Each structure stands twice: as C-alpha cells, then as structure tokens.
Amino acid sequence: MRLALVDYLILALYFLFVLSIGWVVKRKVATSEDFLTSGRSVPVWITSLAFIAANLGAQEVIGMCASGAKYGIMTAHFYWIGAVPAMLFVGVFMMPFYYGSRARSVPEYLKLRFDEKTRALNAVTFAVMTVFSSGISMYALGLLFELVLHWSFTASVLLSAAIVLVYTFLGGLTSAIYNEVLQFFLIVLGFAPLAVFAVMKTGGWSGMGARLPQVMTHTWMYAGKAAENPMGVEVFGLVAGLGFVLSFGYWCTDFLVVQRAMAAESMSAARRTPLIAAFPKMLMPFVVIVPGIAALALSHMALGYSIPLKADGGPDYDQTLTTLMAQFYPSGMLGLGLTALMASFMSGMAGNVTAFNTVWTYDLYQGHIRKNAPDSHYLWVGRVTTIAGVALSVATAYLATHFNNIMDFLQLVFGFVNAPLFATFLLGMFWKRATGHGAFAGLLMGTAAAAATHGLTVAENKGGWLGATLHTFPSTMAQNFWIAIFAWSTCFLVTAVVSLASVPKAESELENLVYGLTRIPHEDVPWYKRPAPLALIVVAALILLNVMFW
Amino acid sequence: MSDLRVSIGGFFVLVGAIVGAAGLTADYRAPLEGANVNLYCGVSMLIFGLVMLWLAWRKSRS
C-alpha cells in the first residue's frame, strides 16, 4: 500500500487536533478529580459516544471485519446479544449505585459495599489487565503499520505512545474522552463508505447473500445446532454464555467503560449514557462486520481480489479490512481509513492508561500507600502515573514481540477474571445480605472454576492441561462461553453460601450502595430524557434488527 | 461542550475539504471502484463538519 502526500496530511492533521484538544482541556484541570474522573461534569452526548468508543479499539474494528469474513452476520450477535442488553441493564439498574455511591472507581464501589480486600483484588487484577491491554494495542498497531505501510515497528509504537502520553498527561480523563468521541466519528465516517461501496460491488445485500452460503447472512436461522454454523455454537451456549455472563461481566463491571458513564454531569445523564450509546452500538455491525462479509463475496467473483493467505495456507482474515481498503479507497480516503485505525489504537491505549491511572492513584496508592495527603499530591501522582502507565505499555508491546501467543494467553486470562465478576456485582447491588468474605471467596473460586473448566476440556487443540479431558467443544468460542457459565455460577453460589455464613454490614453503612437502601430521585423531565422509555425503545429496535436479519 | 463540537466540526470541515479537493483535482482512483470516492466522501464529511459547527453555534447562543 502506497501513501500519497494527502494521506500523510490527514494523519498529521489528526495528530495536531488530538494534541490541541489535550492542551485546551489542561486549563480546566485543577484538582485530582478533574484529572482522574473529569469532576463529574461531562454532557451526556459525549459520555455516551465515549462509552462505546472506549471499547471500540482497532482490534475490534479489524477483528469484527475478520469475523465477518469467517462467520458472516452471526458475528452481529457480539453486538446485539453480547453488548446491548448488558448496556441497558447497567444504565437502568446499576448506574444508580455506581453514581449514587459517589465512588470514584469501580473498585472503590466494592470497598464501600464490601471491604478492602475485595477492592484490592479487583483493583490489582484490573490494573494489570489495563496495562497489558494498552500494550497489546500498541503491539497490534506496530505490527499493522509495519505490514501494511512498512513503517518501523519501533517508530510507530513510540510515535503513538508519545502523542497519547502528551494529551493524557495534559488533560487526563477529559482529554481521553474527547479524543474518543473524535475517534468514533472517524471510524464511522472512515469505514461506512467502505461497507457501502463493497456491498454495492457484490450486487447489494441480496446479491452478496446469493454468492455466499445462506448461513453467512442469517443471524439466528442456523444457530440451533453447532454443526450448522461456522461458529460452532448452539443457542443456549450463545445466549447464556455470551449474552449473559460474558457481556454483562464486561459492560457492567469493567471500569474502562463504566468510568465514562461515571464522568457524566448528573445521575440522569449517567443512567442514560449506556442507553443512548446503545443506538450507535446496534448499528456498528453495518460499519465493521458487513465489509468482511462483502470481502468474502468479492473473493468469489472473478475480480482479482481474494483474502490474503497465512504462511500455513489458511486465510489471514485479520488482513481483510486493510486489503479491502486498498481496493476501494483511493489516496485521500485511504489516508482517512488509516487515520481512523491509528485513532482507534491510540484511543485504546489512552482509555486503558486513564483507567489505570484512576485505579492506581485512588484505589491502590491512596488506599494502601499514602492515605491522607492533600489533593495536589494526588494530582501529581496521577500525572506521574500517566508516564509510568505509558512506559509500562510500551514495555508490554515489546514483550509481545518475543512471545507470539501472548495475546491469546492474555485474552484467556482476562476471560477467567471477568467471568465471575458480574455475579459479585449482581449480588452486591441487589442482595443486602451479601458480605465482603462472600464476595472475596466467590471471586477467587469463580476464577478457579474458569481455569479448571479450561483445563479439563478441549477445543481446537486448546485447553485440557489438567490431564483429563472431560469434554470436547466444537470451537474455542463455544468453550469460552461455557467457561463463562461455570465461572459465573460458581461465583454466585460461593458468594451466597459464604455470605450467609458471615456477618453483613449494618444497613446504615449500605445506603446508596444496594437495592432497597437507595433513593433514585425522580426528575421532572420529558419522557425522552428518562431511562425506562429510552430502554424500551432500544429493546424494540433490537428486536426489529434481529427479525430483519433472522 | 461547544469546545468539542467546534473541534470536531472544524476537523471534519478541514478533512472533508482536503479529501474533496483531492477528488476534484487529483486523479486518484481505487482498483475496484471507478467512482470518484474522494469527492463523495469529502463532501459528506464537509457537510457533517458544518452541521457540527452549526450545532456548536446554536448552543453558544442559548
């Protein structure tokens, strides 16, 4: 792929804007809360776009396109079952506790609701995960730009790290959030045309569908039996594993996304953030997944295009998006597409660094190292942590170059850790009787159950390291869904049992932290500014989409 | 925040103008798409940017 001057110009313009946004925001940062939590002042349209953009890293854009080519429109389940219901739940039912507790982070909520050891467990695992995620973002960026543009890995990693460092150091969370909104628009405006042109070339949606096996353009029709669809999943595993455990475990508890809602300017804005975000989220499959399906159809037409192959002869689906761009975008839009990819990698980094920052400064440093310093000290710590966070991410990116399978390994570990979390929060927020000992034990045993399930079952030659193989799954995806189900169930049971055997906090200490002891203020606003009606509209739209693409 | 609307609007006005200009003046074509992709997309982004700026202006007046 060759870039022309106009492409470099667009990229340079993006860097300039991103840095200037950081510089403008810096003037409003006076306290550690401004820097680390945006001082709870961000309007709802910004928080909702940042909410989905924080999660929409380049790996998702590239990965969803790859999945589109591999699995077809069933990939949309990751959005329509795997994200939207959880987003509705967190907005309507959980935000009152997150926002009302006045916790500055998710681990801090756990401390207020349970105890310090539960908070510490969550904070440490989260901090480690964010640093690794950030490093992986940079590693993927370096690899991509090396492969596609022949830029040096080191140059792209260090350049993007430097830019992210500058704008997060200056403006903190607010900078990261503003740039995430810019990134969102870049992705939509940069890739929607690709979807349009590619599908048109195959003869429109029906023309494309005619060139491919039926399963590629239907979401539910072939989901009944594992053998009938390329994902190898069946309905229960899909709905319970993906739809419930994994998606709720992520969207309802992961501080990276929840932080954006917690930065909102009011309780109503915080609750509406995930609900408003659900609208663009529902439509993202058409921007990121459909190009992949079109690419597969195009490779069946005698146009000289095919999905590149890996060294072992199998298709390299991860190159689908970039090769498709090279076919449909001339210099100009090509630069925009690459800038959109660059922007997503950088936002992925920035989002993780700012989340790491808040958790380190408030939950670990203030919680355990130095408890009663003046606020200016924590602001200083926040800034220093930004530098440390970026440095650790760069180090992780280099580590990844030495261990090829590190990405897969980390995904696995994240899965083990995330799966039980939702059970803990569900019980914590809705059952007064849940205790700190219960939560801590539940989290540990849930994670152990996840590891055990992986160790005792096999899928696509992965897993089964505990010696005996109790079951073989048709795909790693199916295995992941069932690991999640077992982990969640174990955590739920252990938390309940241990809680009943231990002493809960007094009700006066649980105000605003749990259902039944929290007052949700009723605001006198028009219906479209209230959470419940918005959620119902989202559900109706979701059902419509699922029916249309049955 | 009208700051952000202005920044985003300004960014896309500039990028839309640059890409649109490339569509009008330079003769870049993609292998599989004969249409003037740069022109269509450039104009769309320019319009989007102007809408954002208009929203920011409206907000600053209220």
Side-chain angles (χ1 to χ4, degrees):
Chain A
M1 200 186 281
R2 298 285 229 40
L3 293 189
L5 183 65
V6 63
D7 301 314
Y8 288 109
L9 186 61
I10 296 174
L11 192 62
L13 208 61
Y14 166 72
F15 288 150
L16 188 70
F17 265 77
V18 146
L19 289 172
S20 64
I21 285 177
W23 195 66
V24 164
V25 168
K26 171 186 195 258
R27 284 189 258 130
K28 301 187 203 161
V29 172
T31 65
S32 74
E33 291 215 1
D34 289 336
F35 189 76
L36 296 167
T37 65
S38 293
R40 295 181 158 215
S41 62
V42 185
V44 75
W45 75 273
I46 296 181
T47 52
S48 34
L49 291 180
F51 192 84
I52 50 169
N55 162 255
L56 190 67
Q59 285 132 289
E60 172 154 325
V61 176
I62 292 178
M64 285 294 150
C65 186
S67 293
K70 195 170 173 190
Y71 303 120
I73 194 79
M74 274 186 79
T75 312
H77 282 312
F78 280 100
Y79 289 85
W80 295 345
I81 308 183
V84 175
M87 289 166 71
L88 296 182
F89 189 82
V90 76
V92 176
F93 297 111
M94 289 174 77
M95 279 318 294
F97 308 116
Y98 278 133
Y99 201 81
S101 65
R102 305 211 69 84
R104 296 165 304 179
S105 67
V106 162
E108 186 158 272
Y109 169 80
L110 286 177
K111 176 203 142 168
L112 294 171
R113 174 63 184 86
F114 291 123
D115 56 18
E116 194 56 70
K117 63 181 186 292
T118 315
R119 171 210 235 178
L121 181 60
N122 183 242
V124 167
T125 50
F126 183 77
V128 171
M129 274 166 48
T130 49
V131 168
F132 278 118
S133 292
S134 178
I136 288 177
S137 270
M138 304 189 70
Y139 170 70
L141 183 163
L143 274 191
L144 181 79
F145 282 79
E146 186 176 42
L147 178 68
V148 163
L149 295 174
H150 308 295
W151 289 5
S152 121
F153 179 87
T154 304
S156 15
V157 165
L158 291 182
L159 174 67
S160 45
I163 295 184
V164 168
L165 176 60
V166 171
Y167 77 76
T168 46
F169 184 85
L170 290 176
L173 181 67
T174 311
S175 244
I177 287 182
Y178 283 9
N179 282 313
E180 277 155 20
V181 175
L182 176 61
Q183 170 222 351
F184 170 77
F185 288 120
L186 265 174
I187 290 188
V188 172
L189 292 168
F191 294 118
L194 187 64
V196 169
F197 285 118
V199 172
M200 269 168 48
K201 193 84 185 176
T202 61
W205 181 266
S206 44
M208 184 175 75
R211 297 178 198 279
L212 296 168
Q214 281 291 293
V215 68
M216 297 297 274
T217 45
H218 289 93
T219 50
W220 286 102
M221 217 196 279
Y222 300 87
K225 300 211 188 82
E228 286 180 15
N229 60 75
M231 271 185 179
V233 297
E234 33 69 48
V235 172
F236 183 75
L238 184 69
V239 173
L242 176 67
F244 186 58
V245 177
L246 284 175
S247 81
F248 281 66
Y250 178 74
W251 290 98
C252 299
T253 72
D254 192 286
F255 184 49
L256 178 61
V257 278
V258 173
Q259 187 180 34
R260 270 92 190 122
M262 283 166 93
E265 56 189 353
S266 68
M267 169 71 89
S268 159
R271 294 181 78 196
R272 280 179 295 134
T273 293
L275 305 180
I276 297 176
F279 289 104
K281 189 76 178 167
M282 276 193 289
L283 300 175
M284 283 315 281
F286 302 111
V287 174
V288 295
I289 297 176
V290 167
I293 309 178
L296 190 66
L298 287 168
S299 63
H300 293 168
M301 297 160 69
L303 291 171
Y305 171 76
S306 60
I307 297 173
L309 300 175
K310 289 194 277 208
D312 60 18
D316 192 1
Y317 291 110
D318 285 336
Q319 286 197 56
T320 309
L321 184 68
T322 41
T323 49
L324 203 65
M325 264 167 51
Q327 297 292 322
F328 284 91
Y329 279 176
S331 271
M333 273 312 279
L334 188 62
L336 188 76
L338 288 169
T339 304
L341 279 179
M342 174 71 96
S344 346
F345 280 121
M346 285 171 56
S347 297
M349 257 194 76
N352 277 302
V353 167
T354 48
F356 170 74
N357 233 343
T358 308
V359 166
W360 170 262
T361 306
Y362 285 145
D363 296 296
L364 294 171
Y365 183 82
Q366 188 180 39
H368 295 268
I369 301 178
R370 217 180 124 176
K371 301 194 189 185
N372 290 309
D375 187 70
S376 56
H377 176 70
Y378 296 115
L379 176 58
W380 177 83
V381 169
R383 287 215 149 102
V384 167
T385 313
T386 312
I387 303 177
V390 172
L392 283 170
S393 311
V394 172
T396 309
Y398 274 98
L399 197 70
T401 60
H402 291 290
F403 297 100
N404 288 8
N405 286 321
I406 200 172
M407 281 173 69
D408 293 328
F409 177 69
L410 284 172
Q411 300 285 42
L412 200 61
V413 173
F414 295 171
F416 292 173
V417 168
N418 269 325
L421 274 176
F422 183 58
T424 310
F425 280 83
L426 200 63
L427 287 170
M429 286 181 176
F430 293 97
W431 191 42
K432 285 184 262 181
R433 192 62 186 73
T435 69
H437 293 309
F440 188 75
L443 277 178
L444 280 181
M445 292 308 294
T447 309
T453 311
H454 189 254
L456 291 171
T457 60
V458 170
E460 295 179 36
N461 291 320
K462 301 218 175 99
W465 41 270
L466 274 177
T469 299
L470 295 180
H471 185 74
T472 305
F473 289 102
S475 67
T476 47
M477 212 171 276
Q479 186 187 37
N480 286 336
F481 295 166
W482 281 96
I483 288 175
I485 294 171
F486 284 126
W488 186 90
S489 314
T490 307
C491 179
F492 191 92
L493 280 167
V494 171
T495 306
V497 166
V498 175
S499 290
L500 287 170
S502 50
V503 179
K505 284 184 169 179
E507 289 207 352
S508 55
E509 290 177 51
L510 290 178
E511 260 183 48
N512 282 325
L513 293 169
V514 75
Y515 185 71
L517 296 171
T518 305
R519 272 196 59 240
I520 297 172
H522 279 286
E523 293 169 41
D524 205 10
V525 287
W527 64 270
Y528 56 84
K529 284 199 179 179
R530 278 192 260 129
L534 270 181
L536 287 173
I537 298 178
V538 172
V539 169
L542 196 63
I543 293 178
L544 187 67
L545 278 174
N546 275 291
V547 165
M548 272 171 68
F549 290 92
W550 175 266
Chain B
M1 307 221 158
S2 48
D3 285 318
L4 187 60
R5 279 182 254 244
V6 167
S7 295
I8 291 183
F11 179 78
F12 283 106
V13 161
L14 275 175
V15 169
I18 291 174
V19 172
L24 282 175
T25 56
D27 202 24
Y28 296 124
R29 287 287 186 273
L32 277 186
E33 186 52 62
N36 197 337
V37 174
N38 280 338
L39 190 59
Y40 289 130
C41 296
V43 168
S44 315
M45 286 191 284
L46 184 66
I47 294 176
F48 173 76
L50 290 171
V51 167
M52 282 302 261
L53 288 176
W54 174 72
L55 286 172
W57 176 76
R58 218 178 60 141
K59 183 82 189 188
S60 67
R61 287 191 66 210
S62 68

